Amino acid sequence: LDITPIKSLQRNLENALLERNEFIQQIDSVKQFYESVLNHTPSEIAVIDANAKVLFVNNHWRENESAWSKLNGQSLLQIAQNNLSEFDSIRNLIYKLNTAMAQNSLLQFEEERASGGGSSTSILRNILPYSNEAGLLEYLVVSGTEITELKQIQIDLESKNEELNKINSELDKFVYSVSHDLRSPLLSIKGI
């Protein structure tokens, strides 16, 4: 009985399995690389699918948002139901996700988060819809960057601008007053 074709098929199968395993290793390597990059980014990043199911949350977001600590694979609605303290912020995020999907473009908004000691933190959120080649929405990438210091600088700058406007107004009044008060004596001297 000639088993040469069977042996050839077996070798081809073994080679195909080796190629598949190498491809899987490459994909795992790339996945680990991107997860590492996202986890070491100073911004909060989450990847959510079109059905509002959380696919990935980076470490920075998990540290800052207690409700998001173990969420991979859960939908935002489940998260909101399990964490009533976060219900309003998650409901607002779902609304913003729907808006970004409807517009199919980047959506930016500011969000206030209560932090320890009664203070609040300002976060600039970005929602970027990602569509495949066929134009179907696959993912929504949600990122957040803390802008509390920038907001404080903006408030200080506006306050300084207000002060400068008041000083300029007072200076204009002073110049007008001085020019008016000096005009009469100068005209008298000129007349003499």
Side-chain angles (χ1 to χ4, degrees):
L1 191 65
D2 186 19
I3 60 168
T4 306
I6 294 174
K7 282 294 192 181
S8 176
L9 186 62
Q10 183 180 9
R11 277 192 303 270
N12 289 342
L13 184 58
E14 288 172 356
N15 289 337
L17 287 173
L18 285 174
E19 287 178 17
R20 186 200 72 174
N21 289 341
E22 288 174 4
F23 184 70
I24 289 173
Q25 285 176 341
Q26 288 175 345
I27 288 175
D28 285 343
S29 175
V30 169
K31 179 183 174 198
Q32 288 174 353
F33 170 76
Y34 284 114
E35 283 183 0
S36 175
V37 168
L38 293 175
N39 279 326
H40 290 91
T41 302
S43 297
E44 300 172 346
I45 298 177
V47 179
I48 300 169
D49 71 5
N51 298 320
K53 184 177 174 184
V54 178
L55 301 176
F56 175 80
V57 178
N58 76 343
N59 292 337
H60 195 67
W61 195 321
R62 288 181 187 146
E63 291 168 4
N64 293 326
E65 298 273 350
S66 60
W68 293 73
S69 60
K70 297 176 184 174
L71 300 178
N72 288 350
Q74 293 186 30
S75 75
L76 288 174
L77 294 173
Q78 288 173 323
I79 297 164
Q81 290 171 351
N82 294 336
N83 300 289
L84 295 177
S85 62
E86 301 285 333
F87 184 79
D88 288 335
S89 68
I90 293 173
R91 187 182 66 189
N92 185 40
L93 179 60
I94 292 170
Y95 172 75
K96 300 288 186 182
L97 289 170
N98 288 332
T99 303
M101 284 189 288
Q103 295 174 351
N104 198 26
S105 64
L106 176 69
L107 177 70
Q108 289 186 329
F109 61 97
E110 289 183 25
E111 180 179 88
E112 291 291 321
R113 178 192 308 147
S115 56
S119 62
S120 66
T121 304
S122 296
I123 305 292
L124 176 63
R125 291 260 184 243
N126 297 307
I127 301 175
L128 180 65
Y130 173 76
S131 300
N132 62 17
E133 292 142 6
L136 298 173
L137 180 72
E138 284 192 22
Y139 308 110
L140 294 150
V141 179
V142 182
S143 64
T145 305
E146 183 179 342
I147 58 168
T148 306
E149 290 180 27
L150 291 174
K151 292 294 281 185
Q152 187 59 46
I153 290 170
Q154 180 183 11
I155 290 168
D156 292 344
L157 187 62
E158 288 171 357
S159 172
K160 298 287 183 193
N161 279 341
E162 234 177 79
E163 277 183 49
L164 283 175
N165 285 335
K166 284 181 184 178
I167 290 171
N168 281 339
S169 175
E170 290 174 9
L171 187 60
D172 286 345
K173 288 177 185 176
F174 175 73
V175 169
Y176 175 77
S177 174
V178 167
S179 68
H180 185 269
D181 289 347
L182 288 177
R183 184 172 182 216
S184 295
L186 288 175
L187 288 176
S188 295
I189 291 172
K190 185 180 177 186
I192 292 176

